[in-house]
Amino acid sequence: MPKPTCQDVSVLRITPHGPEGLSHGLWLIELENPGWQAVRPGQFAMLRPTAWGFEPLWARPFSICRATPERLAFLIQAVGRGTRLLTGLKQGDTVTVWGPLGHAFNTEPGVRTLMLAGGVGIAPFVEYSAAHPTPSNLTLLFGHRPPLSCYPYEDITRLAAASAFRETSPQDIPLFVARIEEAMADHAGGLALACGPTPFLRTVRNAALKLGVRCQLSLENRMACGIGACLGCVATDSEGHHVQSCTRGPVFWANEITL
Amino acid sequence: MPKPTCQDVSVLRITPHGPEGLSHGLWLIELENPGWQAVRPGQFAMLRPTAWGFEPLWARPFSICRATPERLAFLIQAVGRGTRLLTGLKQGDTVTVWGPLGHAFNTEPGVRTLMLAGGVGIAPFVEYSAAHPTPSNLTLLFGHRPPLSCYPYEDITRLAAASAFRETSPQDIPLFVARIEEAMADHAGGLALACGPTPFLRTVRNAALKLGVRCQLSLENRMACGIGACLGCVATDSEGHHVQSCTRGPVFWANEITL
Amino acid sequence: MDQSVSLAGLNLKNPVMTASGTFGYGLEFTPYGDLAALGGIVVKGLSLKPREGNPMPRIAETPSGMLNAIGLQNCGVERFLSDKLPRLPWKATPILANLYACDPDEFGELAGVLAAEEGVAALEVNISCPNVKEGGVLFGQDPSQAAKVTEAVKKRCGSKPVMVKLSPNVADIVGIARAVEAAGADCLSLINTLTGMAVDVRTRKPRLANVVGGLSGPAVKPVALRCVWQVSRAVNIPVVGMGGISSAMDVLEFILVGAHAVQVGTANFTRPDFAFRLVEELPQVAASMGVTDWESFRGSLDVG
Amino acid sequence: MDQSVSLAGLNLKNPVMTASGTFGYGLEFTPYGDLAALGGIVVKGLSLKPREGNPMPRIAETPSGMLNAIGLQNCGVERFLSDKLPRLPWKATPILANLYACDPDEFGELAGVLAAEEGVAALEVNISCPNVKEGGVLFGQDPSQAAKVTEAVKKRCGSKPVMVKLSPNVADIVGIARAVEAAGADCLSLINTLTGMAVDVRTRKPRLANVVGGLSGPAVKPVALRCVWQVSRAVNIPVVGMGGISSAMDVLEFILVGAHAVQVGTANFTRPDFAFRLVEELPQVAASMGVTDWESFRGSLDVG
Ligand SMILES: Cc1cc2nc3c(=O)[nH]c(=O)nc-3n(C[C@H](O)[C@H](O)[C@H](O)COP(=O)(O)OP(=O)(O)OC[C@H]3O[C@@H](n4cnc5c(N)ncnc54)[C@H](O)[C@@H]3O)c2cc1C
Ligand SMILES: Cc1cc2nc3c(=O)[nH]c(=O)nc-3n(C[C@H](O)[C@H](O)[C@H](O)COP(=O)(O)OP(=O)(O)OC[C@H]3O[C@@H](n4cnc5c(N)ncnc54)[C@H](O)[C@@H]3O)c2cc1C
Ligand SMILES: Cc1cc2nc3c(=O)[nH]c(=O)nc-3n(C[C@H](O)[C@H](O)[C@H](O)COP(=O)(O)O)c2cc1C
Ligand SMILES: Cc1cc2nc3c(=O)[nH]c(=O)nc-3n(C[C@H](O)[C@H](O)[C@H](O)COP(=O)(O)O)c2cc1C
Ligand code: FES
Ligand code: FES
């Protein structure tokens, strides 16, 4: 695995994702690629505008949505102070970025693979589908609240089978859970990969254990350093040990951690 | 005296002052006038970009350089963190501003009046000359280091007699002191007004006391509140009492304070 | 919802007071809002005789905070009573006098003078000022000294409630709080400033003439919340929380950990209408957080 | 100028070390710079047995700072010595072990194990951790307890220097410092974190599962500078300063008030190459401030 680096790079492009991205706070940020050669899908980077003095203090972690030799793209949802400041950046602004970090999703070319994404959790699957040698083995199930155009859904449907489920009210949740279980059942003997909010990951994990599907989850724990040093991001493994989700994850086998 | 107010207003225009303003960090910032009717020359305002979270914490005080019913203009020199952030504002940004604050310079229409300005200390004399009923009684002596075009010097020469002294090395200081004393001697029986850095004010004060010229000084003490509440800005009056320079000044009679 | 709070016999329109030393004598703020809209006003620390305070410089900005070493400059109790108090809306909103003295007897004497005034609603006893040589924070670091000062004030305060203001510069703030409660305090306020320092490498001098000063502002909020939480669980008298409050959400945080009311300090310097705006915003922010009454919300922190 | 510093028998290339708990076991940072370029590396607090630490959440951002309640999660001294230390460049730069234990005897035992290792240059004794139930900060708040721990460690440390790390959560840090000096400490480091708290009004829960945690980062720098200034004037052993250092100028501030060396903590989280960049920038910034040697600059604060 090539070494991660920490560098200051420029914002090449920053736009709301799709016509309704602005009102739903979903942005695509493209940065100069600081020379990262081998980004593996599911890995993430820590981003911190260089102009932030020390307030806020921490960088924020984001999945690498797309990596080309020239640029790194991130799909960012403005949910709090840090993401609001990040999505307010302008082209040409400088961002300190370190990565690529953490463990990636497994790529098993010959295996039918189900991608389960909740909201911005779709981000890593863009790179995953693009880098996969046999995308015909891939299926995406995407749960979302803002309109589909706010997400890079089409970047995936171009390559892989996909279906989307829009949640508009709490009553929709059991329906979505049923869809997840159905899709998982359909992938018995295959591989399931999930990225999204923790309640969603819990659902996926339960279904995977129940149905015996091999399954990886990408956790979204709060992080300060992103490199295993602060111990602020730990998950609990199946033996009750605390393991850093930044370095031992963010992608874990569903049966190896508790949620 | 009309009541001061505190309001959020827009930046109407922000530009370096003159062709060399950018490299010397001298800026003219024009804000919407929040309805201040009767600004008196020598008064100041506290400015704080509304987007500053609480870092930095304090607003910064600036002399009102020009006030029209539509706009307030400030001449700002970027010298530290706060002024660098302020001069980085863009048109349309919001600034919280309170004022007009403090005591103004005396305007004595029939009296020959000498304006002594050091550097950005020229700011209040722009409004002073413009508002003076008999500018023919006014004379400006201006000491500066950056080029003259970085300052609104011409706005004053249009109305009043003026001369400028550029300090390029420490050896120039005694020459400037001599010019100050000469000008003061020439205004015996008149009025002298000074605004600039503290060492400059000290020189002026000494000359005024020696020559017996009635003289007012505008102090530049560090301020947190600008309204007399924090007691962080005090000057020492001739009886040894601490008086707020924001409310009892910033303009003081030279013989009423120590420096 | 009803914003009012009753605090050791005082009726506050709302839980937001202004903190001593950050709101002058109140009058400085009249152009920027209606003083009578505030829950209460604590005026600048008063001493028996006028004090000139410390030499300059007295204030310095720090990351998300500030240091001050004003040294209790004040006009003295006499001039406060003759010149300032009559102009304050003391019939419409409680005016609290903040007391500073060099020994328990002097505290008692000062309390007697102030408590006798109709316009003074309550006394706040500052046993925690880090910026004066004599007494100051030392009273606030020793439980028995703190108790002595409290007793001296209680003896002379008539029917006026006595609020004692605690220092965070201690190993065990609960111990001090209990000592002061046992000595008869009606109410506690906390925190005063943390002792800190700033220096200028260029000049090799301290940024405050007094060398050390008191740290306040958002930077200290985590320490303040911890102190209020610890103390409010340990005593049976109400607690007024402060330290870094700079939004309506911050007010709710202090009430959530157990405060009856709060004081806003350093934030008043970020804009002079700060406290007035906060009072206006609070009902709506409280409602949006599902707060239906102060009583049930206060101290409802769920620690599992 | 010569950047090196001698500290209680250690030779540091430069005065910049990394602080315990903020630099992992050092190895996490190898991709981002040359560990051997640092003045020293203090590793995460070690205990005799591995510890899982506190439940999640363990960290929270605060204004210009952060709270942590990691609870001394660590791999235990054995695994540190077998897996981590051999991979660290201990011949090129001093590696300091940070010790945590529940009583003086256990501190002594741990000190014995660590001091026997060639790769451990010195011991830093953590008597000031606010995030564990047993012992922790309590040792650091009581002069006689602090002295006992120091003595226990000194008895077992062989020729290795012992640095004792002090808590700012006390009324009189000088008293603790003197007690620890008298008990034989070779050096002091300060400050550890201030006890603080953060809450979430929406969920009505603390932001840390442990409820309280330790405050660090630029917010606490004024408190740290004050402590270092007070302590370094009062003791005859060298002092290592820390608390909120986030620039080369901050390093100079700590040396100006009396520190021999410094540790960089929370700032390592703002970018993993932070400490390496700081070491690179320091000579030039020092020169621009007219510093010609550490010896004459140290403690040269002009307090008039
Ligand atoms: C490995 C990983 C990959 C991620 N990928 C993406 C992505 O591709 N796109 C995207 O929009 N978001 C992603 N997130 C979530 C993103 O990091 C958070 O939304 C962001 O940190 C929130 O910061 P804030 O200041 O806006 O929110 P606030 O809620 O104001 O932040 C408060 C604190 O909590 C932390 N925090 C809050 N929510 C989260 C969260 N869900 N995860 C981690 N830390 C949190 C922040 O660091 C901050 O310190 C990812 C998180 C992780 C761990
Ligand atoms: C009544 C008055 C009128 C002024 N008018 C003008 C003007 O028209 N144009 C202009 O460019 N400047 C003016 N100044 C000075 C201006 O306020 C300072 O240059 C500015 O506050 C520096 O802030 P900073 O953060 O950039 O500097 P820093 O040095 O980084 O600030 C550090 C701290 O010191 C304070 N400070 C530093 N220097 C001064 C100073 N000279 N005066 C007051 N506070 C200071 C700041 O508030 C800040 O908190 C005036 C000052 C006063 C008191
Ligand atoms: C400039 C200044 C002056 C102060 N003067 C006093 C005082 O006279 N008496 C007192 O009890 N507290 C005084 N304080 C402390 C405040 O009342 C308050 O306890 C402290 O600042 C913490 O609150 P904050 O962070 O909201 O400012 C002063 C604080 C500041 C910043
Ligand atoms: C996440 C975290 C973990 C820490 N763990 C330890 C520790 O194990 N032992 C210790 O002595 N100090 C520990 N500290 C305290 C730091 O070493 C340092 O004393 C403190 O953070 C102040 O410095 P700073 O403001 O530069 O971070 C920890 C601090 C943080 C932020
Ligand atoms: S984020 Fe610091 S250890 Fe994982
Ligand atoms: S600036 Fe606050 S009293 Fe003058």
Side-chain angles (χ1 to χ4, degrees), chain C residues 80-81 85 90 95-97 114-123 160:
Chain C
F80 170 71
L81 295 178
L85 186 58
W90 53 268
I95 309 297
L96 291 85
L114 284 161
E117 285 293 320
E118 194 186 354
V120 173
L123 308 182
K160 298 283 163 77

Side-chain angles (χ1 to χ4, degrees), chain B residues 15-222:
Chain B
T15 51
H17 198 288
E20 296 181 86
L22 188 62
S23 51
H24 291 89
L26 278 141
W27 292 72
L28 198 71
I29 299 193
E30 294 170 66
L31 304 180
E32 279 178 79
N33 184 332
W36 299 353
Q37 302 287 335
V39 170
R40 291 155 59 234
Q43 288 191 298
F44 69 99
M46 299 292 288
L47 263 56
R48 192 170 188 280
T50 312
W52 286 1
F54 289 89
E55 174 47 29
L57 202 66
W58 298 337
R60 300 292 190 263
F62 298 97
S63 298
I64 298 166
C65 177
R66 197 74 182 84
T68 67
E70 294 78 35
R71 48 186 74 202
L72 302 174
F74 300 90
L75 177 71
I76 299 189
Q77 183 164 25
V79 296
R81 174 118 192 278
T83 44
R84 268 197 304 274
L85 288 169
L86 268 162
T87 55
L89 288 174
K90 304 273 171 280
Q91 186 180 327
D93 285 347
T94 305
V95 175
T96 302
V97 53
W98 60 100
L101 301 169
H103 286 283
F105 286 117
N106 266 25
T107 295
E108 304 182 356
V111 175
R112 286 185 61 228
T113 302
L114 175 64
M115 305 179 287
L116 295 156
V120 282
I122 197 172
F125 296 121
V126 175
E127 180 64 20
Y128 188 87
S129 315
H132 202 280
T134 49
S136 59
N137 266 338
L138 299 179
T139 306
L140 170 72
L141 174 55
F142 179 44
H144 61 107
R145 274 183 225 160
L148 211 47
S149 65
C150 295
Y151 300 94
Y153 180 69
E154 309 243 299
D155 292 350
I156 299 179
T157 55
R158 235 176 271 136
L159 299 159
S163 62
F165 182 94
R166 186 163 183 189
E167 203 187 301
T168 51
S169 79
Q171 290 94 298
D172 294 339
I173 294 178
L175 298 175
F176 185 46
V177 171
R179 288 281 296 277
I180 292 172
E181 294 188 342
E182 198 181 302
M184 294 277 269
D186 185 47
H187 281 77
L191 177 65
L193 312 173
C195 184
T198 305
F200 163 80
L201 296 181
R202 249 185 226 119
T203 301
V204 171
R205 182 171 180 276
N206 290 342
L209 298 184
K210 191 168 79 183
L211 300 166
V213 182
R214 287 164 56 241
C215 174
Q216 290 184 318
L217 310 174
S218 178
L219 303 197
E220 278 207 351
N221 287 5
R222 185 165 304 180

Side-chain angles (χ1 to χ4, degrees), chain D:
Chain D
M1 91 183 230
D2 177 12
Q3 295 291 307
S4 72
V5 173
S6 123
L7 180 81
L10 297 183
N11 289 312
L12 313 184
K13 286 191 186 71
N14 60 65
V16 182
M17 302 193 257
T18 51
S20 181
T22 66
F23 209 66
Y25 298 105
L27 302 166
E28 295 84 350
F29 290 81
T30 47
Y32 306 100
D34 176 11
L35 292 179
L38 301 172
I41 298 171
V42 187
V43 296
K44 174 70 191 162
L46 294 165
S47 50
L48 275 176
K49 298 267 157 291
R51 291 175 59 103
E52 291 299 337
N54 290 327
M56 287 281 282
R58 297 170 160 195
I59 55 175
E61 255 183 337
T62 68
S64 296
M66 66 175 280
L67 286 165
N68 89 80
I70 306 300
L72 287 166
Q73 176 180 345
N74 76 94
C75 62
V77 66
E78 215 170 289
R79 251 196 76 200
F80 170 70
L81 295 179
S82 62
D83 285 17
K84 314 282 184 189
L85 186 58
R87 290 150 66 204
L88 283 167
W90 54 267
K91 288 188 179 154
T93 206
I95 309 298
L96 292 85
N98 179 278
L99 284 68
Y100 169 74
C102 298
D103 59 56
D105 286 349
E106 205 181 309
F107 265 112
E109 190 182 341
L110 184 56
V113 177
L114 284 162
E117 285 293 320
E118 193 185 354
V120 173
L123 308 181
E124 181 179 56
V125 186
N126 180 4
I127 56 166
S128 50
C129 180
N131 298 326
V132 287
K133 296 250 150 59
E134 338 80 46
V137 73
L138 292 177
F139 292 129
Q141 291 180 329
D142 176 346
S144 75
Q145 286 290 318
K148 269 195 202 126
V149 170
T150 307
E151 278 160 15
V153 170
K154 273 301 283 183
K155 235 176 248 152
R156 305 286 295 273
C157 69
S159 62
K160 298 282 163 77
V162 171
M163 181 150 102
V164 178
K165 185 161 175 183
L166 307 184
S167 168
N169 299 298
V170 296
D172 174 23
I173 195 166
V174 167
I176 309 277
R178 289 206 174 112
V180 165
E181 179 184 30
D186 300 296
C187 178
L188 301 172
S189 59
L190 59 158
I191 58 173
N192 209 316
T193 53
L194 281 160
T195 312
M197 181 171 172
V199 297
D200 184 339
V201 173
R202 207 172 293 272
T203 61
R204 303 201 182 173
K205 292 204 173 128
R207 288 194 190 269
L208 301 175
N210 191 52
V211 187
V212 299
L215 182 65
S216 63
V220 310
K221 199 185 72 173
V223 174
L225 277 172
R226 184 264 301 172
C227 290
V228 169
W229 183 69
Q230 291 177 329
V231 167
S232 65
R233 286 154 56 102
V235 299
N236 294 309
I237 50 178
V239 166
V240 176
M242 83 193 86
I245 291 177
S246 55
S247 69
M249 196 66 101
D250 289 343
V251 173
L252 297 179
E253 292 184 4
F254 278 83
I255 299 177
L256 178 62
V257 302
H260 269 67
V262 301
Q263 292 180 16
V264 174
T266 300
N268 291 310
F269 303 153
T270 63
R271 52 188 306 157
D273 55 0
F274 183 86
F276 307 106
R277 290 162 59 106
L278 190 63
V279 165
E280 270 174 31
E281 285 164 16
L282 185 59
Q284 192 238 304
V285 177
S288 76
M289 291 291 119
V291 179
T292 53
D293 64 293
W294 293 135
E295 190 70 29
S296 68
F297 178 64
R298 181 186 315 128
S300 67
L301 185 73
D302 171 13
V303 294

Side-chain angles (χ1 to χ4, degrees), chain A residues 58 60-63 75 77 80-83 220-222, chain D residues 61:
Chain A
W58 298 337
R60 301 291 189 265
F62 298 97
S63 299
L75 177 71
Q77 182 164 24
R81 175 117 191 278
T83 44
E220 278 208 350
N221 286 5
R222 186 164 302 179
Chain D
E61 255 183 337

Side-chain angles (χ1 to χ4, degrees), chain C residues 19-21 44-45 68 72 98 126 165 191-192 216-217 242-244 265-266:
Chain C
S20 181
K44 175 70 191 162
N68 90 81
L72 288 165
N98 179 279
N126 180 3
K165 184 162 176 181
I191 58 174
N192 209 317
S216 63
M242 80 193 88
T266 300

